[in-house]
Amino acid sequence: MKIKLISTIIAGILVAGCGSDSDSDGKNPDSHTLQAFDPAIINMTVKYDCGENKTGTLTSRTAHSGKVTTKDENITADPSACSFTFTGDENTKDVTNGKSMDEVTYTIPKGLAQKDQLVTASPLTTYLAKTLNGAPFTEAAANDALVDLGLDGLVNNARISDVTAIFSNIEAVIDALPSNSKDRGTILATTMVLSDTLKSLPPGTPIDEIATVTKKITASVTTEYPFYPAVGTEAPTDEVIYLDVKETATDVQKAPDADVKLPDNVPAEPVPEETKPVPPPTGGTGGGNGQDPNG
C-alpha cells in the first residue's frame, strides 16, 4: 500500500460521498450537520440542549462519515445556543480502524456550533467543554485547551492557523496536513489517547490530571509511532494500526512517575464504506431526517 492510500484510510474515506454539498458541509439554512470524529465514528446517538426546555435526541445516528444532519428547528434556529452530547454503544466504531467506541461520550460546548457550518464532536471538544464547565465557547478557552494538551506548538509555529477550526472541524485541519506529516500523527495520537483517557479515568478526575495523563501517553505513542496510525519512524509505512490505551491511562494516573508501557498495536480493519448506521435504540425526537445523506 502506498503512502497515498494510507492517507485515504486515515482521512480521505471520511469525506467520500456525502450527498448534496449543502447538507454535508452544513451550508443549508433549513438543516444543520454535526460530526463525530476521532477519526469518523459511525453509530453515535446525539442529544441536544438548546436552552429554554429545547432538548431532544436526533432521529438517526451518525453515518459512516461520522456525520448526521437534522432539520430540527430547535437547532437550526440558532445552533450557537445548543450544546450536544454524542454517545456510543456496542454498535459504535471508528470507521478507519474498527476500534470499538462503546460507552464513549463526546460533547460540544454551547457557542461552538454556528449557522451554515459543520460542527464536530471529538475528544478535543469534550475536553474543552469540561474546562468551560457550562460556559460558552471562546477562542481564548480553546487556546488554553491546546496548551493543556501540548498542541499549542502547532498554532505557534503556524502549522495550524485557525484555532477554532481544530475544534469545530478537526477533519479539515487534518486533511490540510501532508499525509507524511508528523503533525498529523501528533493530532491523531493526541485525540486517540484523550478519548481513551476520558473514558477510563473516574468521573470527577481533575481536568489538569486528564491533560497530564494524555500528554504523557501521547509522548510515548508519537515516539514509537510518529506518523500514527501508520507504523514507521522515518516515514509512514503501509502498516496502519490502532492502540487501546484505556488501561495505560489508569496505570499512568496511579503511577505518574513510572515509565509508560504501551499495549500491543492492533491492525486497522476499516468499517466497509457501504455500512449503514443502525436505528437509534429508542427513536429520536429531533425533527427532519436526522441522517447524513449517504449514511
Side-chain angles (χ1 to χ4, degrees):
M1 184 188 299
K2 303 298 184 182
I3 290 175
K4 183 177 180 181
L5 292 181
I6 297 174
S7 176
T8 300
I9 287 178
I10 61 178
I13 195 173
L14 309 182
V15 294
C18 288
S20 68
D21 291 340
S22 59
D23 277 353
S24 64
D25 61 12
K27 294 180 180 178
N28 184 325
D30 298 322
S31 66
H32 197 81
T33 301
L34 305 96
Q35 182 182 36
F37 190 92
D38 181 36
I41 303 172
I42 190 172
N43 280 323
M44 293 198 99
T45 57
V46 184
K47 293 184 177 181
Y48 65 85
D49 184 343
C50 301
E52 299 179 351
N53 296 317
K54 298 175 182 177
T55 61
T57 303
L58 299 194
T59 54
S60 293
R61 301 179 186 236
T62 58
H64 188 276
S65 62
K67 295 176 182 177
V68 60
T69 298
T70 181
K71 294 182 179 180
D72 191 310
E73 293 180 356
N74 290 327
I75 298 171
T76 60
D78 182 12
S80 68
C82 306
S83 61
F84 301 90
T85 301
F86 290 58
T87 306
D89 60 19
E90 68 275 7
N91 298 295
T92 309
K93 292 185 177 182
D94 181 324
V95 301
T96 64
N97 56 35
K99 181 178 180 179
S100 173
M101 307 302 280
D102 188 16
E103 297 184 354
V104 167
T105 299
Y106 293 155
T107 53
I108 298 174
K110 180 173 64 176
L112 183 58
Q114 299 295 321
K115 274 184 175 291
D116 300 331
Q117 295 179 19
L118 174 74
V119 66
T120 301
S122 71
L124 295 183
T125 63
T126 306
Y127 178 85
L128 177 60
K130 285 183 175 293
T131 67
L132 289 167
N133 195 27
F137 171 86
T138 65
E139 188 169 302
N143 267 306
D144 289 344
L146 293 181
V147 171
D148 292 349
L149 297 169
L151 294 174
D152 52 309
L154 299 175
V155 178
N156 296 338
N157 295 322
R159 295 195 288 275
I160 293 176
S161 59
D162 188 339
V163 172
T164 299
I166 197 171
F167 292 91
S168 63
N169 192 352
I170 188 173
E171 179 182 28
V173 171
I174 292 171
D175 283 351
L177 297 170
S179 60
N180 61 349
S181 168
K182 290 184 179 180
D183 294 334
R184 179 193 283 261
T186 296
I187 296 174
L188 287 167
T190 300
T191 58
M192 176 276 295
V193 173
L194 179 57
S195 179
D196 282 356
T197 299
L198 287 166
K199 179 180 176 182
S200 62
L201 297 192
T205 298
I207 195 70
D208 58 343
E209 194 169 326
I210 293 171
T212 298
V213 170
T214 298
K215 284 192 294 185
K216 183 163 186 176
I217 299 173
T218 299
S220 293
V221 173
T222 54
T223 296
E224 189 164 347
Y225 308 103
F227 302 98
Y228 184 85
V231 173
T233 55
E234 300 301 322
T237 70
D238 61 353
E239 184 180 359
V240 181
I241 53 93
Y242 73 88
L243 299 170
D244 188 322
V245 297
K246 298 180 189 69
E247 290 187 11
T248 308
T250 301
D251 292 342
V252 171
Q253 184 189 38
K254 292 178 179 177
D257 296 327
D259 292 338
V260 174
K261 186 179 186 314
L262 294 177
D264 293 337
N265 66 61
V266 181
E269 295 184 7
V271 175
E273 192 171 345
E274 64 272 15
T275 303
K276 303 294 183 182
V278 300
T282 57
T285 57
N289 62 9
Q291 184 172 329
D292 179 88
N294 267 343

